[in-house]
Amino acid sequence: MNTFDLIEKRVSVRTFTEREVDPASRQTLLDYAATLKAPWGHEARFAWVPVTPSDREAQRFGTYGMIQGAQLYLAGAMKQGPGAAEDFGYLFEGILLKATELGLGTCWLGGTFRRGDFTQALALLDDEFIPAVCPVGYASPTKRLKEKLIGTVFQVRQRKPLKDWAIVEGEPGEYREALEAVRLGPSASNKQPWRVHLANGRAHFYLEETPGYNAESVARCGFPIQRLDMGIAFYHWERVLSDQGLVGAWTQNDPKITVPDKWEYVATWSR
Ligand SMILES: Cc1cc2nc3c(=O)[nH]c(=O)nc-3n(C[C@H](O)[C@H](O)[C@H](O)COP(=O)(O)O)c2cc1C
């Protein structure tokens, strides 16, 4: 399946059946992760964290009622550094889309889990952090009331129209599908903080932070969570274009063009 179809297919799954994820699928996902190269070259470490019946009883991993029935989590760790969170967003989204291709349900979790329990399971090193974890399994055919409520609060399938977050000079042309792929991306609390300025085959990516949101996540988790959303946007953009035979590179050099004040420059993709 091409990347765009996978992006359209992926939705957050928060209620899982008992069916186990077989070892071959787990290996496929780790093998796929090993093929990915993030824009700024950071590498992440990924590990499977099974949930045992006693973990469940002790409510270990603390996903606070958000996730039900998950037997398995994929957790990731990365060394701190400039651009690390964007790179993690890119890599983890790549794995989650691969999981979608295998028919597996996933849900990005950046906030609603107990970091301490995963720190132990991953044997986290001093200079590493856990940007996110993800339950991986088979989606239950019926949704719980809570899951339906989460869907209403975050308006999960709703996304801002292009004109609200992108400035496109001229016609989008061959970039139309890639823009739509960015638009459909998941983001923390569905805030959709990515912004794009597109002209002459160059796409400048910006972050319009939700006021207070990153500061709160830095205080609570040690990193700005909306930087993960940027990395997800990078993956969607790059991969949909490369499926179309359009290959480009990421650089960081603020073009200092006129964009709304709140847009903070993050990266440029160009051919
Ligand atoms: C970086 C990031 C962090 C997220 N953290 C959580 C979380 O802690 N708990 C949760 O229930 N959902 C979390 N989500 C899922 C979003 O709420 C979800 O992606 C968004 O509402 C869009 O819905 P969709 O994934 O079904 O398209 C997170 C998503 C992203 C991208």
Side-chain angles (χ1 to χ4, degrees):
M1 215 182 281
N2 71 30
T3 311
F4 189 80
D5 292 343
L6 294 174
I7 288 169
E8 278 198 312
K9 191 169 167 214
R10 186 216 55 83
V11 286
S12 290
V13 172
R14 295 185 176 85
T15 311
F16 293 86
T17 67
E18 299 269 296
R19 185 175 160 198
E20 275 193 24
V21 180
D22 60 76
S25 301
R26 293 190 201 187
Q27 195 54 48
T28 302
L29 292 177
L30 294 184
D31 290 347
Y32 184 70
T35 68
L36 296 174
K37 196 178 168 323
W40 313 132
H42 292 93
E43 287 180 8
R45 190 159 73 77
F46 300 103
W48 291 110
V49 181
V51 183
T52 63
S54 69
D55 289 336
R56 194 159 304 130
E57 204 157 291
Q59 300 200 354
R60 193 161 176 241
F61 307 122
T63 50
Y64 309 110
M66 284 291 199
I67 303 298
Q68 197 176 66
Q71 318 271 335
L72 184 69
Y73 283 88
L74 181 66
M78 197 175 240
K79 289 197 195 311
Q80 294 274 14
E86 284 100 319
D87 274 358
F88 189 90
Y90 176 102
L91 298 171
F92 213 49
E93 179 67 355
I95 304 173
L96 267 56
L97 289 176
K98 188 70 182 174
T100 305
E101 186 170 55
L102 300 182
L104 294 164
T106 59
C107 182
W108 269 91
L109 294 180
T112 57
F113 66 93
R114 203 178 294 134
R115 282 199 153 66
D117 289 343
F118 283 97
T119 297
Q120 239 179 13
L122 274 167
L124 201 72
L125 304 173
D126 280 350
D127 56 352
E128 287 181 328
F129 70 117
I130 301 176
V133 302
C134 172
V136 180
Y138 293 90
S140 160
T142 49
K143 282 193 177 179
R144 289 170 297 141
L145 180 62
K146 172 132 189 175
E147 189 165 2
K148 288 185 190 153
L149 286 175
I150 297 168
T152 314
V153 171
F154 294 143
Q155 305 211 311
V156 292
R157 292 318 283 171
Q158 290 200 19
R159 299 291 192 267
K160 293 175 184 150
L162 186 74
K163 66 173 177 45
D164 288 4
W165 58 270
I167 298 169
V168 178
E169 284 184 13
E171 285 299 312
E174 56 198 352
Y175 298 98
R176 194 178 301 276
E177 198 171 68
L179 285 165
E180 181 63 5
V182 169
R183 198 179 80 86
L184 294 177
S187 56
S189 303
N190 203 18
K191 297 284 187 198
Q192 307 161 58
W194 11 257
R195 304 289 177 261
V196 174
H197 179 283
L198 174 65
N200 307 320
R202 293 174 82 77
H204 303 297
F205 283 73
Y206 300 81
L207 167 64
E208 182 174 343
E209 261 191 49
T210 306
Y213 202 81
N214 275 341
E216 198 263 343
S217 91
V218 169
R220 205 159 43 90
C221 322
F223 74 100
I225 195 166
Q226 291 192 313
R227 296 266 162 183
L228 295 175
D229 300 340
M230 294 306 301
I232 295 171
F234 294 171
Y235 188 87
H236 285 197
W237 177 265
E238 180 193 301
R239 292 294 165 133
V240 164
L241 287 173
S242 83
D243 285 354
Q244 289 171 226
L246 293 175
V247 178
W250 295 101
T251 51
Q252 229 172 358
N253 190 7
D254 188 348
K256 305 256 170 41
I257 47 182
T258 307
V259 291
D261 285 350
K262 291 183 189 149
W263 291 23
E264 183 190 340
Y265 175 75
V266 182
T268 298
W269 180 96
S270 57
R271 287 167 79 177

